[in-house]
């Protein structure tokens, strides 16, 4: 049965897939032990402060709760709590939830769409795990903030910038991970409005960011007057027509979550397509370069975070597929994790205070529009999704998303 799914890949991609074994239960245990110990030793420095989005020379610096990325650090702490039951993690995460509540009440650096990345792994997780009422209140305020960016003309949540400005009238593929906050808010408040906006955004996003060959656009612009789809463009990928490795992974996990909440069968086909494109564009060790344009044998930096995100998406979608296909995606995810564990995870706290090396945040190229930072470093979502994928391999996990 596995052969049927492998046969859909090119010979080269199938050979690479076959070469990497799956992560074993023993390795998952060791990876958790190392990660939880690393997180615990960070708590004194990073309880009243947060880890920066990316490490510098392998080490995160402390920042205030002002970036779009701080929820990942709190999410790591919750995952460590969930795995170990150690109250030190819970105490630290609760302190951080108070900070998230203050942030949304005072609208500190929340003028963008990343409310899901911020408030799901921190506050929704705290509510789901320990019934944190502060977490719940904060996350509902964050959902309100997120729907305030919905553009009726075009039917999408505007990612960044001044609302309605033509140069910012776009959605980005990453937002597929922000909308689960709205499905959660609809369920908790009994107000369907949140879910209706989420449905419309997901529909618009998937109708436009997926290309015919199932590679993906990072961002997509719409006409401000008519709402008609205008054009795709990259920000963090190598060039407009290429597939940014993390964007493709957001597409894999995003379609799995879209299916979780809508059960629209068409989303399974999109998931299969974007996953296959991903698998066809990986180097020998199955951890992508920062853009899928690059394959084996070149010196471009990797994006290890992309592999963890893709693993989480495959493990999520496996819950809804018939057993042979589910098994294929579970095995694929376990191979990505094996490779990350063996060759990318931090082995010695002296080399880094993060969990996974060789990730790329923002790599400037002659053809993209992003700044240059966090290249070949740890980053906070790379660490978070590595832990989440470990948790998903370890048990039938109740998702934070
Ligand atoms: N969501 C921004 C990024 O993936 O870098």
């Amino acid at each position: 049965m596995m052969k049927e799914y492998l046969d859909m890949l090119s010979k080269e991609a199938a050979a690479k897939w076959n070469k990497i074994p799956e992560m074993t239960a023993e390795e998952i245990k060791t990876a958790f032990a190392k990660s939880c110990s690393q997180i615990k030793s960070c708590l004194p420095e990073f309880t009243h402060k947060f880890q920066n989005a990316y490490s510098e020379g392998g080490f995160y610096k402390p920042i205030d709760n002002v970036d779009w990325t701080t929820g990942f650090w709190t999410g790591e702490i919750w995952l460590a709590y969930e795995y170990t039951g150690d109250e030190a993690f819970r105490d630290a995460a609760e302190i951080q939830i108070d900070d998230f509540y203050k942030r949304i009440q005072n609208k500190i650096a929340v003028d963008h769409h990343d409310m899901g990345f911020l408030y799901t792994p921190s506050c929704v997780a705290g509510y789901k795990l320990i019934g944190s009422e502060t977490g719940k209140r904060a996350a509902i305020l964050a959902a309100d903030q997120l729907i305030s960016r919905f553009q009726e003309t075009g039917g999408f949540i505007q990612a960044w910038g001044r609302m309605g400005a033509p140069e910012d009238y776009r959605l980005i593929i990453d937002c597929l991970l922000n909308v689960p906050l709205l499905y959660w808010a609809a369920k908790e408040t009994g107000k369907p409005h949140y879910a209706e906006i989420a449905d419309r955004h997901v529909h618009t996003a998937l109708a436009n960011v997926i290309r015919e060959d199932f590679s993906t656009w990072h961002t997509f612009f719409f006409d401000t007057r008519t709402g008609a789809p205008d054009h795709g463009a990259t920000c963090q990928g190598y060039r407009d027509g290429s597939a940014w490795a993390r964007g493709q992974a957001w597409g894999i996990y995003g379609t799995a979550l879209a299916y979780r909440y809508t059960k629209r069968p068409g989303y399974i086909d999109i998931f299969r397509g974007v996953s296959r494109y991903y698998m066809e564009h990986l180097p020998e060790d199955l951890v992508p370069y920062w853009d899928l344009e690059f394959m084996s044998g070149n010196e471009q930096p990797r994006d290890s975070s992309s592999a963890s995100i893709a693993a989480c998406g495959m493990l999520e979608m496996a819950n809804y597929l018939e057993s042979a296909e589910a098994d294929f995606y579970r095995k694929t995810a376990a191979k990505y994790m094996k490779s990350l564990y063996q060759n990318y995870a931090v082995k010695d706290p002296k080399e880094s205070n993060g969990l996974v090396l060789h990730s790329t945040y923002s790599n400037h190229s002659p053809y993209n529009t992003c700044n240059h930072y966090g290249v070949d470093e740890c980053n906070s979502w790379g660490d978070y999704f590595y832990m989440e994928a470990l948790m998903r391999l370890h048990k039938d996990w109740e998702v934070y998303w």
Side-chain angles (χ1 to χ4, degrees), residues 218-237:
H218 178 195
T219 86
F220 207 94
F221 284 88
F222 297 82
D223 186 293
T224 49
R225 275 181 313 105
T226 64
D230 199 88
H231 68 281
T234 199
C235 174
Q236 282 159 271

Side-chain angles (χ1 to χ4, degrees), residues 68 114 117 172 174 236 244 246 250 361 381:
W68 69 273
D114 282 324
F117 282 131
I172 76 170
D174 323 29
Q236 282 159 271
W244 175 43
R246 194 159 59 257
W250 292 137
Y361 182 177
W381 56 91

Side-chain angles (χ1 to χ4, degrees), residues 9 36 48 142 168 181 209 217 226 270 287 297 321 383 391:
L9 296 180
C36 292
H48 295 277
D168 286 318
L181 177 67
V209 298
W217 288 108
T226 64
I270 299 177
V287 174
L321 301 171
D383 291 353
M391 189 61 101

Side-chain angles (χ1 to χ4, degrees), residues 232-265:
T234 199
C235 174
Q236 282 159 271
Y238 177 64
R239 63 180 174 86
D240 276 345
S242 69
W244 175 43
R246 194 159 59 257
Q248 193 78 17
W250 292 137
I252 293 170
Y253 200 177
T255 44
L257 289 169
Y259 184 76
R260 176 188 182 88
Y261 288 107
T262 65
K263 297 294 184 305
R264 286 199 190 137

Side-chain angles (χ1 to χ4, degrees), residues 347-359:
K347 302 282 183 312
D348 179 352
K350 285 202 229 51
E351 68 178 331
S352 170
N353 61 358
L355 305 185
V356 190
L357 302 164
H358 309 303
S359 198

Side-chain angles (χ1 to χ4, degrees), residues 200-214:
R200 287 190 59 198
H201 175 84
V202 168
H203 174 78
T204 308
L206 294 181
N208 290 289
V209 298
I210 315 292
R211 303 187 189 112
E212 221 166 290
D213 63 356
F214 289 100

